[in-house]
């Protein structure tokens, strides 16, 4: 049948060879998936999830038992005191905005300890001038770059021992940078070092693309607050939109008062019928993340075989679901993304083109033939159009569909 999809016999043979050589890597992923699945099931059972939690509220959304219980389940799964899981969050970027504005006050300083954060934070922080940025509210920004893909612990310790930093931001995934993702172990080490000299600073983790890749989450190893999108890992491909903030109860409370309004906080927010999708998405998420990881590793193996620079390599440790492929050439990059699109179930006949997306500085191409618009836990591939022309691929609701999409993309560049 691959032939009917335009995949050559040669490429099919290469794919078979890849799978043969990836068995050990796939087994490691299965183990993490099992552990994370049991964590999820335990939380569902502890909170006695039942059909009543699938109900909906409208209007103000007072006393939404489904929403309130979902937030307890998420908190337990993430090892956090509390969480805010809301459809009113437009995206991960929105939830990060809410978390930052909730924690910071005029005169405060935030410090990124892994270099420049994700592109959409430029306007939030004020790196890109914006009248609504943190900078416009007199909140300062500093950053310390990574050294050899790891935290610069001496520089960080020296800076935070002065105690004038209010919040530290750590970004687990690489975003559109060419650095590696940061493992939970690396984060745990830097947090321990920070705590030796400063107990007050708020440590926030942008956990986008990181959930369930490893067996622990940042809030289990000392992060105070953590943010992620529900159209990425934790939504399991079923959540129609939304994002979460999890962590210390006081900070989640502040975030709730920023998302809704002071005095109302977590008490309002209609769920409009999405509770079941959120719960079922979380239930599926460990497996969906494992399918994404297998798709990424398969991609990494094949493209390296074909002579491209890939990161991570197929057998390297991963802390997120993102796979990068360096094409060094705009045309090949675009062809690859268009191939991914042509392998999807939805919008397979659309041809993605680079465009000026709101919130991004360079033109961006985004291939995402997704059930949920823009969902990147579904097989998707995007890239800012800038040298060295690197594709950022992630997702795959099932490995089988992910594999087909990747083969279509490879065939398109061959
Ligand atoms: C996806 C992502 C975000 C948030 O992006 P949205 O598209 O707004 O959900 C933030 N940080 C990182 C590292 C991301 O990957």
């Amino acid at each position: 049948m691959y032939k009917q999809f335009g995949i050559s016999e040669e490429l099919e043979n290469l794919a078979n060879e890849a799978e043969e050589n990836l068995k050990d890597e796939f087994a490691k992923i299965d183990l993490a998936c099992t552990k994370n699945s049991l964590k999820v099931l335990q939380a569902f059972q502890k909170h006695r999830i039942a059909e009543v939690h699938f109900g909906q509220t409208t209007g103000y959304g007072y006393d939404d038992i489904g929403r309130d219980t979902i937030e307890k389940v998420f908190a337990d799964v993430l090892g956090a005191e509390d969480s805010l899981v809301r459809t009113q969050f437009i995206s991960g970027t929105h939830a990060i905005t809410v978390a930052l504005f909730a924690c910071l006050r005029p005169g405060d300083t935030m410090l990124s300890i892994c270099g420049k954060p994700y592109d959409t934070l430029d306007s939030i922080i004020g790196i890109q001038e914006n009248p609504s940025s943190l900078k416009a509210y007199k909140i300062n920004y500093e950053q310390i770059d990574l050294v050899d893909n790891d935290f610069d612990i001496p520089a960080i310790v020296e800076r935070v021992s002065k105690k004038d930093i209010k919040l530290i931001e750590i970004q687990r995934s690489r975003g559109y940078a060419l650095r590696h993702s940061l493992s939970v172990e690396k984060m745990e080490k830097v947090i321990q070092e920070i705590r030796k000299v400063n107990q007050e600073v708020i440590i926030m983790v942008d956990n986008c693309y990181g959930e369930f890749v490893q067996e622990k989450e940042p809030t289990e190893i000392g992060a105070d607050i953590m943010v992620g999108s529900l159209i990425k890992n934790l939504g399991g491909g079923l959540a129609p939109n939304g994002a979460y903030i999890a962590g210390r109860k006081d900070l989640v409370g502040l975030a709730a008062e920023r998302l809704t309004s002071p005095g109302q906080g977590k008490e309002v927010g209609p769920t409009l019928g999405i509770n079941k999708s959120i719960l079922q998405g979380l239930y599926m998420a460990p497996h969906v993340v494992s399918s994404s990881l297998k798709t990424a590793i398969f991609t990494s193996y094949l493209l390296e075989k074909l002579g491209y620079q890939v990161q991570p390599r197929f057998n390297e440790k991963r802390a997120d679901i993102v796979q990068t492929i360096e094409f060094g050439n705009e045309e090949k990059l675009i062809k690859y993304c268009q191939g991914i699109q042509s392998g999807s179930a939805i919008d397979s006949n659309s041809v993605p083109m680079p465009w000026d997306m709101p919130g991004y500085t360079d033109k961006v191409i985004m291939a995402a033939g997704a059930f949920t618009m823009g969902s990147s836990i579904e097989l998707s591939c995007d890239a800012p159009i800038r040298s060295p022309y690197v594709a950022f691929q992630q997702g795959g609701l099932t490995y089988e569909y992910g594999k087909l999409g990747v083969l279509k993309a490879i065939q398109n560049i061959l």
Side-chain angles (χ1 to χ4, degrees), residues 197-226:
V197 295
N198 188 324
Q199 285 78 50
E200 291 79 40
V201 66
I202 298 168
I203 300 176
M204 171 178 142
V205 176
D206 172 356
N207 203 33
C208 284
Y209 286 140
E211 301 92 351
F212 293 157
V213 172
Q214 297 188 262
E215 288 158 23
K216 279 188 180 175
E217 299 301 332
T219 33
E220 292 174 83
I221 50 96
D224 296 304
I225 187 165
M226 174 170 92

PDB file of all heavy atoms in Angstrom, residues 197-226:
ATOM      1  N   VAL A 197      21.172  29.532  47.521  1.00  0.00           N
ATOM      2  CA  VAL A 197      21.470  30.956  47.764  1.00  0.00           C
ATOM      3  C   VAL A 197      20.232  31.841  47.766  1.00  0.00           C
ATOM      4  O   VAL A 197      20.297  33.018  48.140  1.00  0.00           O
ATOM      5  CB  VAL A 197      22.476  31.515  46.719  1.00  0.00           C
ATOM      6  CG1 VAL A 197      23.825  30.823  46.859  1.00  0.00           C
ATOM      7  CG2 VAL A 197      21.940  31.365  45.299  1.00  0.00           C
ATOM      8  N   ASN A 198      19.099  31.296  47.331  1.00  0.00           N
ATOM      9  CA  ASN A 198      17.900  32.139  47.236  1.00  0.00           C
ATOM     10  C   ASN A 198      16.650  31.264  47.351  1.00  0.00           C
ATOM     11  O   ASN A 198      16.383  30.434  46.491  1.00  0.00           O
ATOM     12  CB  ASN A 198      17.931  32.889  45.886  1.00  0.00           C
ATOM     13  CG  ASN A 198      16.830  33.926  45.776  1.00  0.00           C
ATOM     14  OD1 ASN A 198      15.722  33.728  46.273  1.00  0.00           O
ATOM     15  ND2 ASN A 198      17.125  35.020  45.106  1.00  0.00           N
ATOM     16  N   GLN A 199      15.910  31.448  48.447  1.00  0.00           N
ATOM     17  CA  GLN A 199      14.707  30.628  48.667  1.00  0.00           C
ATOM     18  C   GLN A 199      13.447  31.309  48.149  1.00  0.00           C
ATOM     19  O   GLN A 199      12.406  30.681  48.020  1.00  0.00           O
ATOM     20  CB  GLN A 199      14.529  30.313  50.169  1.00  0.00           C
ATOM     21  CG  GLN A 199      15.491  29.255  50.710  1.00  0.00           C
ATOM     22  CD  GLN A 199      16.872  29.840  50.945  1.00  0.00           C
ATOM     23  OE1 GLN A 199      17.033  30.871  51.584  1.00  0.00           O
ATOM     24  NE2 GLN A 199      17.895  29.186  50.402  1.00  0.00           N
ATOM     25  N   GLU A 200      13.535  32.623  47.864  1.00  0.00           N
ATOM     26  CA  GLU A 200      12.309  33.370  47.542  1.00  0.00           C
ATOM     27  C   GLU A 200      11.977  33.423  46.060  1.00  0.00           C
ATOM     28  O   GLU A 200      10.807  33.500  45.696  1.00  0.00           O
ATOM     29  CB  GLU A 200      12.410  34.822  48.048  1.00  0.00           C
ATOM     30  CG  GLU A 200      12.387  34.967  49.562  1.00  0.00           C
ATOM     31  CD  GLU A 200      13.738  34.641  50.196  1.00  0.00           C
ATOM     32  OE1 GLU A 200      14.771  35.032  49.612  1.00  0.00           O
ATOM     33  OE2 GLU A 200      13.758  33.980  51.240  1.00  0.00           O
ATOM     34  N   VAL A 201      13.015  33.433  45.218  1.00  0.00           N
ATOM     35  CA  VAL A 201      12.762  33.667  43.789  1.00  0.00           C
ATOM     36  C   VAL A 201      11.782  32.617  43.239  1.00  0.00           C
ATOM     37  O   VAL A 201      11.863  31.437  43.583  1.00  0.00           O
ATOM     38  CB  VAL A 201      14.102  33.692  42.996  1.00  0.00           C
ATOM     39  CG1 VAL A 201      14.797  32.337  43.004  1.00  0.00           C
ATOM     40  CG2 VAL A 201      13.879  34.173  41.572  1.00  0.00           C
ATOM     41  N   ILE A 202      10.833  33.095  42.424  1.00  0.00           N
ATOM     42  CA  ILE A 202       9.836  32.190  41.832  1.00  0.00           C
ATOM     43  C   ILE A 202      10.465  31.524  40.613  1.00  0.00           C
ATOM     44  O   ILE A 202      10.977  32.210  39.722  1.00  0.00           O
ATOM     45  CB  ILE A 202       8.577  32.977  41.387  1.00  0.00           C
ATOM     46  CG1 ILE A 202       7.912  33.646  42.602  1.00  0.00           C
ATOM     47  CG2 ILE A 202       7.598  32.078  40.648  1.00  0.00           C
ATOM     48  CD1 ILE A 202       6.849  34.675  42.214  1.00  0.00           C
ATOM     49  N   ILE A 203      10.440  30.217  40.577  1.00  0.00           N
ATOM     50  CA  ILE A 203      11.011  29.501  39.432  1.00  0.00           C
ATOM     51  C   ILE A 203       9.872  28.982  38.565  1.00  0.00           C
ATOM     52  O   ILE A 203       9.062  28.159  39.002  1.00  0.00           O
ATOM     53  CB  ILE A 203      11.930  28.355  39.890  1.00  0.00           C
ATOM     54  CG1 ILE A 203      13.074  28.931  40.738  1.00  0.00           C
ATOM     55  CG2 ILE A 203      12.463  27.581  38.680  1.00  0.00           C
ATOM     56  CD1 ILE A 203      13.995  27.896  41.343  1.00  0.00           C
ATOM     57  N   MET A 204       9.797  29.533  37.356  1.00  0.00           N
ATOM     58  CA  MET A 204       8.712  29.176  36.437  1.00  0.00           C
ATOM     59  C   MET A 204       9.278  28.382  35.263  1.00  0.00           C
ATOM     60  O   MET A 204      10.325  28.736  34.724  1.00  0.00           O
ATOM     61  CB  MET A 204       8.058  30.459  35.929  1.00  0.00           C
ATOM     62  CG  MET A 204       7.070  30.221  34.809  1.00  0.00           C
ATOM     63  SD  MET A 204       6.299  31.770  34.294  1.00  0.00           S
ATOM     64  CE  MET A 204       6.232  31.484  32.526  1.00  0.00           C
ATOM     65  N   VAL A 205       8.590  27.325  34.878  1.00  0.00           N
ATOM     66  CA  VAL A 205       9.036  26.533  33.723  1.00  0.00           C
ATOM     67  C   VAL A 205       7.998  26.593  32.612  1.00  0.00           C
ATOM     68  O   VAL A 205       6.816  26.342  32.839  1.00  0.00           O
ATOM     69  CB  VAL A 205       9.304  25.056  34.124  1.00  0.00           C
ATOM     70  CG1 VAL A 205       9.660  24.224  32.892  1.00  0.00           C
ATOM     71  CG2 VAL A 205      10.426  24.976  35.155  1.00  0.00           C
ATOM     72  N   ASP A 206       8.467  26.957  31.425  1.00  0.00           N
ATOM     73  CA  ASP A 206       7.663  26.804  30.218  1.00  0.00           C
ATOM     74  C   ASP A 206       7.828  25.339  29.822  1.00  0.00           C
ATOM     75  O   ASP A 206       8.873  24.932  29.335  1.00  0.00           O
ATOM     76  CB  ASP A 206       8.187  27.749  29.120  1.00  0.00           C
ATOM     77  CG  ASP A 206       7.521  27.498  27.768  1.00  0.00           C
ATOM     78  OD1 ASP A 206       6.723  26.554  27.653  1.00  0.00           O
ATOM     79  OD2 ASP A 206       7.827  28.250  26.825  1.00  0.00           O
ATOM     80  N   ASN A 207       6.785  24.551  30.078  1.00  0.00           N
ATOM     81  CA  ASN A 207       6.860  23.094  29.909  1.00  0.00           C
ATOM     82  C   ASN A 207       6.282  22.630  28.569  1.00  0.00           C
ATOM     83  O   ASN A 207       6.072  21.432  28.372  1.00  0.00           O
ATOM     84  CB  ASN A 207       6.100  22.421  31.067  1.00  0.00           C
ATOM     85  CG  ASN A 207       6.543  20.996  31.334  1.00  0.00           C
ATOM     86  OD1 ASN A 207       7.719  20.663  31.155  1.00  0.00           O
ATOM     87  ND2 ASN A 207       5.623  20.139  31.752  1.00  0.00           N
ATOM     88  N   CYS A 208       6.014  23.562  27.669  1.00  0.00           N
ATOM     89  CA  CYS A 208       5.436  23.211  26.362  1.00  0.00           C
ATOM     90  C   CYS A 208       6.267  22.129  25.677  1.00  0.00           C
ATOM     91  O   CYS A 208       7.481  22.250  25.603  1.00  0.00           O
ATOM     92  CB  CYS A 208       5.391  24.443  25.466  1.00  0.00           C
ATOM     93  SG  CYS A 208       4.068  25.584  25.899  1.00  0.00           S
ATOM     94  N   TYR A 209       5.606  21.118  25.187  1.00  0.00           N
ATOM     95  CA  TYR A 209       6.208  19.970  24.479  1.00  0.00           C
ATOM     96  C   TYR A 209       6.949  19.000  25.392  1.00  0.00           C
ATOM     97  O   TYR A 209       7.508  18.015  24.920  1.00  0.00           O
ATOM     98  CB  TYR A 209       7.180  20.417  23.373  1.00  0.00           C
ATOM     99  CG  TYR A 209       6.543  20.980  22.137  1.00  0.00           C
ATOM    100  CD1 TYR A 209       7.096  22.084  21.484  1.00  0.00           C
ATOM    101  CD2 TYR A 209       5.400  20.398  21.589  1.00  0.00           C
ATOM    102  CE1 TYR A 209       6.515  22.598  20.332  1.00  0.00           C
ATOM    103  CE2 TYR A 209       4.820  20.922  20.441  1.00  0.00           C
ATOM    104  CZ  TYR A 209       5.388  22.016  19.818  1.00  0.00           C
ATOM    105  OH  TYR A 209       4.835  22.527  18.678  1.00  0.00           O
ATOM    106  N   GLY A 210       6.980  19.282  26.701  1.00  0.00           N
ATOM    107  CA  GLY A 210       7.782  18.429  27.569  1.00  0.00           C
ATOM    108  C   GLY A 210       7.006  17.354  28.314  1.00  0.00           C
ATOM    109  O   GLY A 210       7.571  16.325  28.707  1.00  0.00           O
ATOM    110  N   GLU A 211       5.693  17.558  28.510  1.00  0.00           N
ATOM    111  CA  GLU A 211       4.940  16.674  29.400  1.00  0.00           C
ATOM    112  C   GLU A 211       4.972  15.215  28.946  1.00  0.00           C
ATOM    113  O   GLU A 211       4.783  14.912  27.776  1.00  0.00           O
ATOM    114  CB  GLU A 211       3.478  17.128  29.495  1.00  0.00           C
ATOM    115  CG  GLU A 211       3.287  18.550  30.001  1.00  0.00           C
ATOM    116  CD  GLU A 211       3.238  19.580  28.877  1.00  0.00           C
ATOM    117  OE1 GLU A 211       3.515  19.218  27.713  1.00  0.00           O
ATOM    118  OE2 GLU A 211       2.931  20.747  29.168  1.00  0.00           O
ATOM    119  N   PHE A 212       5.204  14.330  29.899  1.00  0.00           N
ATOM    120  CA  PHE A 212       5.200  12.873  29.714  1.00  0.00           C
ATOM    121  C   PHE A 212       6.335  12.340  28.837  1.00  0.00           C
ATOM    122  O   PHE A 212       6.348  11.166  28.487  1.00  0.00           O
ATOM    123  CB  PHE A 212       3.847  12.378  29.156  1.00  0.00           C
ATOM    124  CG  PHE A 212       2.694  12.530  30.112  1.00  0.00           C
ATOM    125  CD1 PHE A 212       1.379  12.593  29.645  1.00  0.00           C
ATOM    126  CD2 PHE A 212       2.893  12.585  31.485  1.00  0.00           C
ATOM    127  CE1 PHE A 212       0.307  12.721  30.514  1.00  0.00           C
ATOM    128  CE2 PHE A 212       1.829  12.713  32.367  1.00  0.00           C
ATOM    129  CZ  PHE A 212       0.525  12.792  31.877  1.00  0.00           C
ATOM    130  N   VAL A 213       7.287  13.210  28.494  1.00  0.00           N
ATOM    131  CA  VAL A 213       8.436  12.694  27.735  1.00  0.00           C
ATOM    132  C   VAL A 213       9.354  11.931  28.693  1.00  0.00           C
ATOM    133  O   VAL A 213       9.916  10.905  28.347  1.00  0.00           O
ATOM    134  CB  VAL A 213       9.192  13.842  27.041  1.00  0.00           C
ATOM    135  CG1 VAL A 213      10.499  13.342  26.426  1.00  0.00           C
ATOM    136  CG2 VAL A 213       8.305  14.469  25.975  1.00  0.00           C
ATOM    137  N   GLN A 214       9.466  12.453  29.921  1.00  0.00           N
ATOM    138  CA  GLN A 214      10.240  11.767  30.939  1.00  0.00           C
ATOM    139  C   GLN A 214       9.262  11.289  32.018  1.00  0.00           C
ATOM    140  O   GLN A 214       8.056  11.408  31.856  1.00  0.00           O
ATOM    141  CB  GLN A 214      11.298  12.710  31.512  1.00  0.00           C
ATOM    142  CG  GLN A 214      12.300  13.149  30.456  1.00  0.00           C
ATOM    143  CD  GLN A 214      13.454  13.929  31.079  1.00  0.00           C
ATOM    144  OE1 GLN A 214      13.477  15.139  31.083  1.00  0.00           O
ATOM    145  NE2 GLN A 214      14.418  13.208  31.626  1.00  0.00           N
ATOM    146  N   GLU A 215       9.805  10.764  33.093  1.00  0.00           N
ATOM    147  CA  GLU A 215       8.913  10.194  34.101  1.00  0.00           C
ATOM    148  C   GLU A 215       8.544  11.179  35.204  1.00  0.00           C
ATOM    149  O   GLU A 215       7.723  10.884  36.065  1.00  0.00           O
ATOM    150  CB  GLU A 215       9.548   8.927  34.687  1.00  0.00           C
ATOM    151  CG  GLU A 215       9.510   7.806  33.651  1.00  0.00           C
ATOM    152  CD  GLU A 215      10.523   6.720  33.897  1.00  0.00           C
ATOM    153  OE1 GLU A 215      10.966   6.567  35.049  1.00  0.00           O
ATOM    154  OE2 GLU A 215      10.886   6.027  32.914  1.00  0.00           O
ATOM    155  N   LYS A 216       9.183  12.344  35.196  1.00  0.00           N
ATOM    156  CA  LYS A 216       8.837  13.385  36.171  1.00  0.00           C
ATOM    157  C   LYS A 216       8.611  14.698  35.448  1.00  0.00           C
ATOM    158  O   LYS A 216       9.129  14.902  34.352  1.00  0.00           O
ATOM    159  CB  LYS A 216       9.987  13.574  37.172  1.00  0.00           C
ATOM    160  CG  LYS A 216       9.996  12.550  38.277  1.00  0.00           C
ATOM    161  CD  LYS A 216      11.032  12.917  39.308  1.00  0.00           C
ATOM    162  CE  LYS A 216      11.050  11.892  40.430  1.00  0.00           C
ATOM    163  NZ  LYS A 216      12.140  12.180  41.373  1.00  0.00           N
ATOM    164  N   GLU A 217       7.872  15.592  36.089  1.00  0.00           N
ATOM    165  CA  GLU A 217       7.631  16.921  35.543  1.00  0.00           C
ATOM    166  C   GLU A 217       8.355  17.956  36.421  1.00  0.00           C
ATOM    167  O   GLU A 217       8.645  17.692  37.593  1.00  0.00           O
ATOM    168  CB  GLU A 217       6.129  17.215  35.517  1.00  0.00           C
ATOM    169  CG  GLU A 217       5.318  16.252  34.658  1.00  0.00           C
ATOM    170  CD  GLU A 217       5.741  16.215  33.192  1.00  0.00           C
ATOM    171  OE1 GLU A 217       6.258  17.228  32.678  1.00  0.00           O
ATOM    172  OE2 GLU A 217       5.571  15.149  32.570  1.00  0.00           O
ATOM    173  N   PRO A 218       8.617  19.138  35.864  1.00  0.00           N
ATOM    174  CA  PRO A 218       9.367  20.157  36.614  1.00  0.00           C
ATOM    175  C   PRO A 218       8.782  20.488  37.994  1.00  0.00           C
ATOM    176  O   PRO A 218       9.532  20.763  38.934  1.00  0.00           O
ATOM    177  CB  PRO A 218       9.328  21.377  35.685  1.00  0.00           C
ATOM    178  CG  PRO A 218       9.232  20.772  34.318  1.00  0.00           C
ATOM    179  CD  PRO A 218       8.386  19.548  34.466  1.00  0.00           C
ATOM    180  N   THR A 219       7.437  20.448  38.130  1.00  0.00           N
ATOM    181  CA  THR A 219       6.848  20.760  39.433  1.00  0.00           C
ATOM    182  C   THR A 219       7.122  19.659  40.466  1.00  0.00           C
ATOM    183  O   THR A 219       6.888  19.854  41.650  1.00  0.00           O
ATOM    184  CB  THR A 219       5.331  20.989  39.305  1.00  0.00           C
ATOM    185  OG1 THR A 219       4.806  20.162  38.279  1.00  0.00           O
ATOM    186  CG2 THR A 219       5.014  22.440  38.964  1.00  0.00           C
ATOM    187  N   GLU A 220       7.612  18.515  40.015  1.00  0.00           N
ATOM    188  CA  GLU A 220       7.966  17.454  40.963  1.00  0.00           C
ATOM    189  C   GLU A 220       9.402  17.590  41.449  1.00  0.00           C
ATOM    190  O   GLU A 220       9.812  16.890  42.378  1.00  0.00           O
ATOM    191  CB  GLU A 220       7.802  16.071  40.302  1.00  0.00           C
ATOM    192  CG  GLU A 220       6.356  15.720  39.999  1.00  0.00           C
ATOM    193  CD  GLU A 220       6.243  14.411  39.225  1.00  0.00           C
ATOM    194  OE1 GLU A 220       6.262  13.341  39.860  1.00  0.00           O
ATOM    195  OE2 GLU A 220       6.133  14.462  37.990  1.00  0.00           O
ATOM    196  N   ILE A 221      10.171  18.472  40.814  1.00  0.00           N
ATOM    197  CA  ILE A 221      11.586  18.598  41.204  1.00  0.00           C
ATOM    198  C   ILE A 221      11.920  20.027  41.613  1.00  0.00           C
ATOM    199  O   ILE A 221      13.063  20.449  41.513  1.00  0.00           O
ATOM    200  CB  ILE A 221      12.535  18.083  40.085  1.00  0.00           C
ATOM    201  CG1 ILE A 221      12.204  18.694  38.711  1.00  0.00           C
ATOM    202  CG2 ILE A 221      12.456  16.574  39.957  1.00  0.00           C
ATOM    203  CD1 ILE A 221      12.974  19.869  38.313  1.00  0.00           C
ATOM    204  N   GLY A 222      10.896  20.758  42.066  1.00  0.00           N
ATOM    205  CA  GLY A 222      11.195  22.049  42.681  1.00  0.00           C
ATOM    206  C   GLY A 222      10.755  23.302  41.946  1.00  0.00           C
ATOM    207  O   GLY A 222      10.899  24.398  42.484  1.00  0.00           O
ATOM    208  N   ALA A 223      10.210  23.176  40.726  1.00  0.00           N
ATOM    209  CA  ALA A 223       9.714  24.383  40.054  1.00  0.00           C
ATOM    210  C   ALA A 223       8.475  24.875  40.794  1.00  0.00           C
ATOM    211  O   ALA A 223       7.667  24.069  41.271  1.00  0.00           O
ATOM    212  CB  ALA A 223       9.378  24.094  38.600  1.00  0.00           C
ATOM    213  N   ASP A 224       8.309  26.197  40.905  1.00  0.00           N
ATOM    214  CA  ASP A 224       7.168  26.759  41.637  1.00  0.00           C
ATOM    215  C   ASP A 224       5.916  26.819  40.788  1.00  0.00           C
ATOM    216  O   ASP A 224       4.797  26.732  41.295  1.00  0.00           O
ATOM    217  CB  ASP A 224       7.499  28.188  42.110  1.00  0.00           C
ATOM    218  CG  ASP A 224       8.634  28.193  43.107  1.00  0.00           C
ATOM    219  OD1 ASP A 224       8.505  27.501  44.135  1.00  0.00           O
ATOM    220  OD2 ASP A 224       9.658  28.859  42.856  1.00  0.00           O
ATOM    221  N   ILE A 225       6.109  27.030  39.494  1.00  0.00           N
ATOM    222  CA  ILE A 225       4.961  27.185  38.605  1.00  0.00           C
ATOM    223  C   ILE A 225       5.377  26.725  37.206  1.00  0.00           C
ATOM    224  O   ILE A 225       6.542  26.876  36.810  1.00  0.00           O
ATOM    225  CB  ILE A 225       4.419  28.643  38.644  1.00  0.00           C
ATOM    226  CG1 ILE A 225       3.121  28.781  37.864  1.00  0.00           C
ATOM    227  CG2 ILE A 225       5.447  29.651  38.193  1.00  0.00           C
ATOM    228  CD1 ILE A 225       2.370  30.085  38.163  1.00  0.00           C
ATOM    229  N   MET A 226       4.411  26.163  36.480  1.00  0.00           N
ATOM    230  CA  MET A 226       4.737  25.542  35.197  1.00  0.00           C
ATOM    231  C   MET A 226       3.552  25.761  34.264  1.00  0.00           C
ATOM    232  O   MET A 226       2.402  25.794  34.700  1.00  0.00           O
ATOM    233  CB  MET A 226       4.935  24.071  35.506  1.00  0.00           C
ATOM    234  CG  MET A 226       5.132  23.164  34.379  1.00  0.00           C
ATOM    235  SD  MET A 226       5.634  21.553  35.024  1.00  0.00           S
ATOM    236  CE  MET A 226       4.047  20.748  35.179  1.00  0.00           C
TER     237      MET A 226
END
